[in-house]
Amino acid sequence: MITAKSTLRQVPLWQRELARAITDPAELLRVLELDPALLPAATAAAARFALRVPRGFVARMQRGDPADPLLRQVLPLEAELAEMPGFIADPVGEHAALAAPGLLHKYHGRALLMVTAACAVHCRYCFRREFPYAGQHSGADHWSTALAYLRADPDIHEVILSGGDPLSLSDRRLGEVLAELARLPQLRRLRIHSRQPIVLPERVDDGLLTLLSGCPWPVVLVTHANHPQEIDAAVIAALRRLGAAGITLLNQAVLLRAVNDDAGTLATLNETLFAAGVLPYYLHQLDRVRGAAHFEVNDIQASAIMETLRQRLPGYLVPRLVREQPGQPAKTPVA
Ligand SMILES: *Cc1c(COP(=O)(O)O)cnc(C)c1O
Ligand code: SF4
């Protein structure tokens, strides 16, 4: 029986937190007690790619420190507006790889489904910052084309939910996606690429855990954390709950200048993640997207960092340093 109580279901905490995210550069500077002189550049750069950051993530930043490694990932800067040779709108060739609207099929056995354009946080270095999402996510009519493509290919054994951030979907919408995928007999695994357990740990609630533990295949969740300061007690609790639900947890990070471009920071990141049940997967060399040149770490420096990591950590805590190259059948290891 439908009761008044169940029809007036409360908006989940994570959705309320998402709606309260900071999107106004002036507010971000005020909350962090930063110099208002940063505002004109932040406003100009935010006009190209909007500022967005959940308040819980901001709370992990150091007040008064314009060089805070978490802030640097989200604060729009003047440097984004400079045209830099080689930094382009679609550096990984996503347009060419679209198999159906919202579906990327670049690698054998795996297909990547962009189920939403929305993210809880806007990372300034994101390779999709210039991606024309409109019409690419699997909304109403596109969804059926992507599904038909998946049904027609018995060799796709793994679907990767991506975006945007797939956990931006409501539980109801996510449940619909999972139910459609459960009709594909060839699927052996489901993978989810999401930054939300890190930037919005409230997302890992009972509703989500019920959905994921009800899946008919093993579920792999690949989180995205770049700096140990991102991992606070709430994040650890969220990761442990996911692990306890039987989900395999991996992390991918992006190597970012003045954020995590030293072996000590990365070693601490991977030790911290491991303590919460997460193994490192990839360390990505930056995709050369327009507006992100100031984050680039060159391959020589990157390789030196990897060498130090290998000396310092057990092998299973050393991520693979890779780069995405258009037209390649897999991520390319950086020597
Ligand atoms: C990165 C990526 C994958 C996953 O690659 P793995 O090496 O399996 O992690 C799959 N499809 C696309 C389009 C990708 O960009
Ligand atoms: S959460 Fe991921 S997809 Fe979204 S802006 Fe950040 S890096 Fe890009």
Side-chain angles (χ1 to χ4, degrees), residues 68-81:
D68 181 276
L70 276 55
L71 176 68
R72 196 168 155 80
Q73 296 177 54
V74 302
L75 178 67
L77 295 179
E78 176 104 65
E80 294 176 27
L81 301 172

Side-chain angles (χ1 to χ4, degrees), residues 104 106-107 110 112 160 191 193 281-282 324 331:
L104 289 169
K106 289 208 268 195
Y107 301 159
R110 289 146 290 169
L112 188 148
I160 302 168
R191 196 191 319 180
H193 282 179
Y281 183 41
Y282 284 140
E324 175 98 24
K331 309 276 185 255

